[in-house]
Amino acid sequence: MRLASAWTALIFLLIQGASRVCTVKKLGSSPGRFANATLVRLSEFLNAGYKKGVRPVKDWRTSTIVAIDLMVYSILNVDEKNQVLTTYVWYRQSWTDEFLVWNPEDFDEVKQVSIPTTNVWVPDILINEFVDVGKSPDIPYVYVTHDGLVRNYKPIQVVTACTLNIYNFPFDVQKCSLTFQSWLHTIDDINITLMRSPEELREDKSVFMNQGEWELLHILSNYKIFSVDNDDYYAEMKFHVVIRRRPLFYTVNLLLPSIFLMVMDIVGFYLPPDSGERVSFKITLLLGYSVFLIIVSDTLPATAIGTPLIGVYFVVCMALLVISLTETVLIVRLVHKQDLQPPVPHWVKYLVLERAPVLFCIHKKHSLCPTLSSQGTDLEHYKDNNYGTAQCPLHHTCEIGRRLSHHDREGRLIGLGLPPSRDPTPPVMDNILHEVTAIRHFLEKRDRCREVAKEWLQVGYVLDVLLFRVYLVAVVAYSITLGTLWSVWQVA
């Protein structure tokens, strides 16, 4: 029985080979201008009885292995607001079609031929992240080799959804995924593999246009088998496209102007605190920074789930400018019209004029008001030399002697029966003495006011230096922190 079955199978194979030879000869005997066209004969041979709607395997238990490859050609657009990445890639896939096989010797040693894509079976491998149909050119042909290997190479404009993290803008690195899988067939029907090794795929940048805003770092691949309902399993190949933004444009147009304005704000502290020019200067800087933010607002990426760190940086710089202006207004208010202010409290003198200069190494400004000091010295000199009562120790003795002699003279005149003499001091002298006394009180009051003004000016100077140092430390610490973060992100 077994011998009979073997003979039957052998006879069947001989009959099938003879029919294939007859078919080739019959197809090769096409009349007219295609009589000796090898490619026409081969095309007719491959299309004879071909069923493109059926998976091309003789044994239905055999899985069709599709090898895929991806090369990024260009990064067309990164839409941070809509979280969409648009790329232009070269996509390659190949598989074995067991029904597209021929003997090259029968067709003038033709080992590969291009045939229309619509005439062959094509796997239904799609990209899961597709959100829009790109403007991809239509490639109507595929290459088929004599052993049944079908190669389908085509460029694709891929518009995919991608989770974009803009916190590190403009030093951000984005990682977007392109997941290729069969939409319908399970792993028993279609399996996916890489056409090249993962190492070659990772470092391949041969076709990438490296002149745009984004730089391609590498492409990672990950093969995975998953199940939706724990019954049917599917194969997927995920490509992670890692790109990095080139920050030079944003550094020159966003960061440097902001840094220059902040430096000018720090320089503005060297203007005298008792002059109104500092307030005008600070207000001008604040207005200029506001206009700058309005201009760059369209450049910053915007999302509903986060704000880039550079946006926070601009807001903090604006807040620092406001704090600087507030500090300047307070200091100017403190040192303006000091003579109309009450005396400096003792606790302020102790903390600001005695303890603060020692703790923070602030030099006292003794020459804050040299005019006041010179006028005060002249006042003391005037008091000592003109109307002071302690200018001579013999003044009291002379005054007593003068009064005694005047009393003796009056007594002698009364003893002789004569009227007493009048006071030799005329009324004009009394008026002069009253005026001099009034001038003395006025100068003493003005001297006290100027001493108060001098103390308030010293308080304002110390507070200005102290607040300037605190402001400078805050700006430097903030700048160092941001610079370190951005440097780490740029190197990573």
Side-chain angles (χ1 to χ4, degrees), residues 163-177:
T163 303
L164 301 173
N165 183 11
I166 63 172
Y167 182 74
N168 303 337
F169 175 88
F171 305 95
D172 51 335
V173 176
Q174 305 296 341
K175 183 178 181 181
C176 297
S177 300

Side-chain angles (χ1 to χ4, degrees), residues 179 194 198 201 220-224 236-240:
T179 305
L194 284 177
L201 178 66
L220 305 177
S221 60
N222 182 29
Y223 175 77
K224 179 183 177 181
E236 72 173 18
M237 183 66 67
K238 181 172 292 188
F239 296 97
H240 301 281

Side-chain angles (χ1 to χ4, degrees), residues 288-305:
Y289 203 87
S290 302
V291 175
F292 168 74
L293 290 184
I294 294 174
I295 295 174
V296 304
S297 60
D298 296 335
T299 307
L300 297 179
T303 60
I305 59 176

Side-chain angles (χ1 to χ4, degrees), residues 273-287:
D274 55 342
S275 68
E277 298 298 329
R278 183 191 284 192
V279 177
S280 302
F281 182 76
K282 298 280 186 178
I283 293 176
T284 303
L285 283 179
L286 186 60
L287 292 177

